[in-house]
C-alpha cells in the first residue's frame, strides 16, 4: 500500500549518530525530523529565518515518537511528512523508512504553534499553505 506524502527527503546514517549498541541514538530522530520540516518549508518558499526576522516563531509544542526498527551506520533512509492544521496547531505527521526495503523505522507527530511578537496566533501564510497542500494531496489521491 503506497501512501502519498507531501514531502520526502533521503538521508544516510553517519557513524557519530549511533550509540554503543551500533544503532541510531533516539535523540537523532528528532534532528532528522526537524531537518525534514525545515527543508519542506524551504522547498515551498517558507523560511524559518525570515519568519523569525518578522517576529514570528514556529515552535514545537508537543512531540511523540514510536520506535519500530533501528537504523544502523551507513544505512540510507527516507524521511517523509504530511502537514495539517487543527485549530491553532500545525501538525506534522512524519515517518522514517529504511531504504531500499521501506521498512518503517520510526513514526512521529509534531504539534507546532506560532507566536507572533510573543503572542500565540495563526499565520494566514501557513493557513493558506496547509490548505493548498492538503487540496493538492487529495487531488493526487484521486
Amino acid at each position: 500500500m503506497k501512501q502519498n506524502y507531501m514531502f520526502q527527503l533521503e538521508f544516510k546514517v553517519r557513524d557519530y549518530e549511533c550509540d554503543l549498541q551500533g544503532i541510531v541514538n533516539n535523540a537523532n530522530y528528532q534532528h532528522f525530523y526537524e531537518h525534514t520540516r525545515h527543508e519542506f518549508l524551504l522547498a515551498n518558499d517558507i523560511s524559518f529565518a525570515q519568519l523569525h526576522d518578522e517576529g514570528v516563531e514556529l515552535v514545537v509544542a508537543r512531540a511523540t515518537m514510536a520506535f519500530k526498527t533501528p537504523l544502523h551506520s551507513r544505512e540510507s533512509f527516507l524521511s517523509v511528512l504530511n502537514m495539517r492544521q487543527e485549530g491553532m496547531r500545525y501538525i506534522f505527521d512524519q515517518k522514517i523508512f529504511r531504504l531500499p526495503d521501506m521498512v518503517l523505522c520510526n513514526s512521529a507527530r509534531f504539534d507546532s504553534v506560532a507566536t507572533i511578537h510573543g503572542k500565540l496566533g495563526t499565520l494566514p501564510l501557513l493557513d493558506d499553505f496547509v490548505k493548498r497542500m492538503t487540496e493538492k494531496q487529495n487531488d493526487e489521491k484521486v
Side-chain angles (χ1 to χ4, degrees):
M1 174 170 77
K2 183 182 177 200
Q3 184 168 349
N4 187 25
Y5 297 102
M6 291 178 179
F7 188 74
Q8 57 187 32
L9 187 62
E10 192 170 329
F11 290 79
K12 191 171 198 172
V13 176
R14 296 164 289 202
D15 291 337
Y16 69 84
E17 294 168 325
C18 297
D19 57 26
L20 290 174
Q21 297 167 305
I23 61 176
V24 171
N25 182 278
N26 62 72
N28 286 313
Y29 286 89
Q30 288 204 45
H31 295 285
F32 301 150
Y33 286 133
E34 181 175 14
H35 185 68
T36 302
R37 290 191 304 275
H38 283 225
E39 290 296 319
F40 166 64
L41 293 174
L42 281 173
N44 289 283
D45 298 320
I46 299 173
S47 164
F48 275 99
Q50 183 178 349
L51 289 172
H52 171 76
D53 291 345
E54 296 169 0
V56 176
E57 306 299 341
L58 186 60
V59 297
V60 172
R62 177 176 297 178
T64 56
M65 288 192 288
F67 295 88
K68 304 294 186 180
T69 302
L71 283 168
H72 300 86
S73 182
R74 293 186 219 87
E75 286 185 322
S76 295
F77 63 95
L78 190 65
S79 179
V80 300
L81 72 72
N82 283 320
M83 183 182 184
R84 58 195 164 88
Q85 188 171 0
E86 291 179 2
M88 297 181 85
R89 292 177 293 156
Y90 302 99
I91 310 297
F92 293 89
D93 294 304
Q94 298 184 249
K95 293 181 180 177
I96 288 177
F97 296 96
R98 184 178 63 207
L99 294 173
D101 56 7
M102 293 299 286
V103 169
L104 178 64
C105 296
N106 191 286
S107 62
R109 173 180 160 151
F110 293 88
D111 294 18
S112 298
V113 295
T115 60
I116 305 150
H117 302 291
K119 295 184 180 183
L120 190 62
T122 59
L123 298 171
L125 167 77
L126 278 181
D127 298 349
D128 293 341
F129 172 70
V130 172
K131 183 179 178 188
R132 282 192 324 273
M133 291 301 291
T134 302
E135 288 171 354
K136 179 181 175 188
Q137 187 180 32
N138 289 336
D139 289 345
E140 291 174 358
K141 285 181 182 176
V142 175

